[in-house]
């Protein structure tokens, strides 16, 4: 078996090097960043959630979900951009730490 965060198969053989197959680190899933699942993945700015390595396909658990625009702003979600509603001013910028944005829309 491969370690958590790796995919592949290792089988014993009777001749050197006495195994065949390989384990490969699994790439970080959508909306996350890092070298690979085995070394750790973090959700990118505007997304919340967590990714943990696992021993079964797809070799990770969890996901990163887009965070909705904050109060007094509109848009699909933080990653695609939020604008202050009419009568409010300010700037909303996606971040990678809770509450996953900086700034505000003030009346």
């Amino acid at each position: 078996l491969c370690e958590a965060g790796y995919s592949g198969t290792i089988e014993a053989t009777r001749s050197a090097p006495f195994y065949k197959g390989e384990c490969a680190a699994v790439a970080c899933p959508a909306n996350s960043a890092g070298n690979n699942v085995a070394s750790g993945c973090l959700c990118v700015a505007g997304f919340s959630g967590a990714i943990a390595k696992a021993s079964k396909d797809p070799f990770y658990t969890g996901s990163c979900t887009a965070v909705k625009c904050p109060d007094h702003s509109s848009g699909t979600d933080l990653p695609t951009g939020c604008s202050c509603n009419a009568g409010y001013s300010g700037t909303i910028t996606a971040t990678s730490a809770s509450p996953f944005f900086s700034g505000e829309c003030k009346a």
Side-chain angles (χ1 to χ4, degrees):
L1 285 177
C2 296
E3 291 185 17
Y6 290 83
S7 66
T9 305
I10 302 294
E11 295 178 26
T13 64
R14 293 177 185 249
S15 57
F18 303 104
Y19 70 91
K20 69 178 180 178
E22 67 179 9
C23 295
V26 174
C28 290
N31 307 317
S32 69
N35 289 332
N36 53 57
V37 172
S39 64
C41 303
L42 297 173
C43 295
V44 297
F47 289 83
S48 68
I51 305 298
K53 55 189 174 182
S55 298
K56 293 184 180 181
D57 192 16
F59 307 103
Y60 66 87
T61 59
S63 64
C64 297
T65 305
V67 176
K68 68 178 188 155
C69 291
D71 292 344
H72 312 298
S73 69
S74 58
T76 302
D77 51 40
L78 286 168
T80 59
C82 303
S83 300
C84 292
N85 294 337
Y88 293 86
S89 64
T91 303
I92 304 295
T93 304
T95 65
S96 55
S98 184
F100 308 104
F101 69 91
S102 62
E104 65 182 318
C105 295
K106 293 183 179 182

